[in-house]
């Protein structure tokens, strides 16, 4: 496991002057295996990139409170490295789900100093699809990562344990509701101010979707990997959760488990993550300018 958590994966470009504004930092959250090794394989994203790994990877301890408890801890991790200003978060598979919960908790806080521009999900499947489409018309198996020839047995055990715990937590997870929150009054507002509500919306989400299905050799026809239950759905099932969640879908080569292990796939993933971050920055600037114009 990496010594620092969060860990600095890419330093990003150095400012060209004292007045130059650096690109928005990107925080990538671990996949179901608990590590951020895959993100170290990425090429240059042209910004500072941090990774959050599962702090219980070595100990094997669980998070009794599930995804919300884990995300609450990661909110504190994020604040330790980006205490204020603009931020983009994301992750592969489970990392995308955790990013959504982190975004919800940041939004509920309301007065935090972090301005979340958006989320980059890398082939993150909506958990509702497993409940609504995973039974009755297809046989679903939970095949996982293929181990390299030099993978240590200890690593296999820890990663397998993380996958099992992740599966439990996702199965119990109630996705964020994004409900309006009451606005606390100031000393000059009076009691009536409590009736005012602050709208809570999810940030823009760009979804990178693997084009291919995970091979399931030796299985009966019609058998699919759990991550491919919604492979034919361009939004990987997220439309069942919220029609407005996914801002853009980008198809990338490969299947769920070889996005970061195949060099050609990795090059495309790097470029699309880089472009997604730029696009989220552009959307933020557009909203900012639109809001400023409306106040004139």
């Amino acid at each position: 496991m990496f010594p620092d958590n969060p860990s600095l994966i890419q330093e990003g470009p150095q400012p060209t002057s004292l007045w130059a504004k650096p690109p928005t930092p990107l925080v990538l959250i671990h996949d179901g295996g608990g590590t951020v090794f895959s993100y170290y394989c990425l090429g240059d994203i042209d910004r500072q990139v941090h990774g959050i790994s599962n702090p219980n990877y070595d100990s094997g301890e669980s998070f009794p409170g599930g995804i919300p408890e884990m995300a609450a801890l990661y909110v504190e991790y994020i604040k330790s490295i980006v205490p204020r200003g603009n931020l983009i978060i994301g992750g592969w598979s489970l990392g995308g789900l955790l990013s959504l919960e982190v975004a919800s908790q940041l939004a509920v806080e309301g007065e935090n100093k972090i301005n979340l521009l958006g989320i980059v999900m890398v082939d993150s499947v909506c958990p509702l699809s497993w409940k609504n489409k995973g039974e009755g018309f297809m046989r679903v198996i939970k095949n996982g990562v293929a181990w390299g020839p030099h993978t240590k047995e200890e690593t296999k055990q820890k990663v397998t344990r993380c996958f099992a715990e992740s599966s439990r937590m996702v199965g119990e997870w109630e996705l964020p509701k994004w409900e309006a929150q009451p606005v606390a009054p100031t000393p000059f507002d009076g009691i009536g101010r409590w009736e005012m509500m602050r709208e809570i919306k999810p940030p823009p989400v760009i979804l990178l979707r693997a084009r291919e299905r995970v091979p399931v050799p030796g299985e009966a026809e019609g058998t699919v990997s759990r991550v491919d239950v919604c492979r034919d759905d361009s939004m990987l099932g997220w439309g069942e959760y919220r029609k407005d969640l996914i801002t853009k879908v980008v198809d990338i080569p490969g299947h769920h488990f070889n996005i970061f292990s195949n060099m050609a796939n990795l090059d495309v993933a790097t470029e699309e993550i880089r472009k997604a971050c730029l696009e989220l920055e552009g959307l933020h600037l557009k909203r900012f300018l639109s809001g400023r114009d409306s106040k004139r």
Side-chain angles (χ1 to χ4, degrees):
M1 180 55 69
F2 304 99
D4 298 322
N5 196 19
S7 56
L8 179 62
I9 298 175
Q10 296 185 20
E11 293 186 356
Q14 297 299 314
T16 56
S17 71
L18 293 175
W19 297 274
K21 188 175 181 179
T24 305
L26 170 65
V27 176
L28 295 173
I29 301 176
H30 64 85
D31 64 6
T35 79
V36 292
F37 173 79
S38 297
Y39 306 143
Y40 278 87
C41 300
L42 288 166
D44 193 358
I45 306 295
D46 292 333
R47 65 190 61 244
Q48 194 174 83
V49 180
H50 298 268
I52 295 178
S53 53
N54 186 338
N56 294 347
Y57 174 83
D58 287 315
S59 69
E61 295 180 17
S62 64
F63 286 86
I67 296 292
E69 180 185 346
M70 184 180 261
L73 176 60
Y74 294 177
V75 166
E76 297 307 312
Y77 283 175
I78 288 170
K79 289 179 179 178
S80 73
I81 53 174
V82 187
R84 65 180 67 244
N86 293 341
L87 173 70
I88 299 171
I89 61 176
W92 174 32
S93 196
L94 177 70
L97 309 188
L98 284 163
S99 295
L100 187 65
E101 180 65 35
V102 166
S104 173
Q105 294 188 21
L106 284 173
V108 169
E109 285 186 8
E111 299 302 321
N112 66 73
K113 299 175 182 178
I114 295 175
N115 181 29
L116 184 61
L117 304 193
I119 299 172
V120 181
M121 288 186 177
V122 182
D123 212 57
S124 300
V125 182
C126 179
L128 297 178
S129 65
W130 299 331
K131 299 176 182 178
N132 299 342
K133 295 186 179 180
E135 298 178 359
F137 73 101
M138 62 175 66
R139 182 167 180 262
V140 180
I141 61 172
K142 298 180 181 179
N143 61 335
V145 64
W147 305 112
H150 305 295
T151 305
K152 296 180 180 179
E153 188 60 35
E154 179 185 12
T155 300
K156 293 180 182 179
Q157 293 176 1
K158 290 179 179 179
V159 169
T160 300
R161 187 171 59 202
C162 282
F163 271 124
E165 177 66 4
S166 298
S167 181
R168 177 194 69 80
M169 291 192 297
V170 171
E172 297 173 354
W173 183 38
E174 184 176 349
L175 276 68
K177 295 184 182 297
W178 305 98
E179 295 175 334
Q181 299 290 317
V183 177
T186 67
F188 307 100
D189 286 327
I191 298 177
R193 180 68 183 272
W194 280 109
E195 298 176 0
M196 296 184 64
M197 302 293 286
R198 178 171 59 88
E199 187 178 14
I200 301 292
K201 285 185 176 182
V205 177
I206 294 181
L207 173 66
L208 307 189
R209 170 181 169 269
R211 296 192 188 105
E212 303 167 17
R213 293 178 182 270
V214 178
V216 284
E219 296 291 342
E221 184 177 353
T223 300
V224 299
S225 171
R226 191 184 188 197
V227 296
D228 290 328
V229 168
C230 283
R231 186 57 50 193
D232 294 334
D233 177 5
S234 64
M235 292 196 296
L236 296 182
W238 288 105
E240 298 182 44
Y241 169 54
R242 284 185 69 110
K243 299 291 185 184
D244 63 345
L245 180 71
I246 305 298
T247 301
K248 182 178 181 179
V249 178
V250 179
D251 282 351
I252 56 176
H255 60 69
H256 184 85
F257 294 111
N258 72 356
I259 294 171
F260 295 91
S261 60
N262 176 289
M263 285 305 298
N265 298 347
L266 183 62
D267 288 343
V268 176
T270 295
E271 178 63 11
E272 294 301 341
I273 291 173
R274 187 188 69 81
K275 286 163 52 176
C277 290
L278 289 172
E279 187 159 346
L280 290 173
E281 287 177 318
L283 288 172
H284 168 66
L285 179 60
K286 185 177 180 179
R287 290 195 304 270
F288 173 76
L289 293 177
S290 175
R292 189 172 65 176
D293 289 343
S294 66
K295 294 177 182 178
R296 290 178 179 177

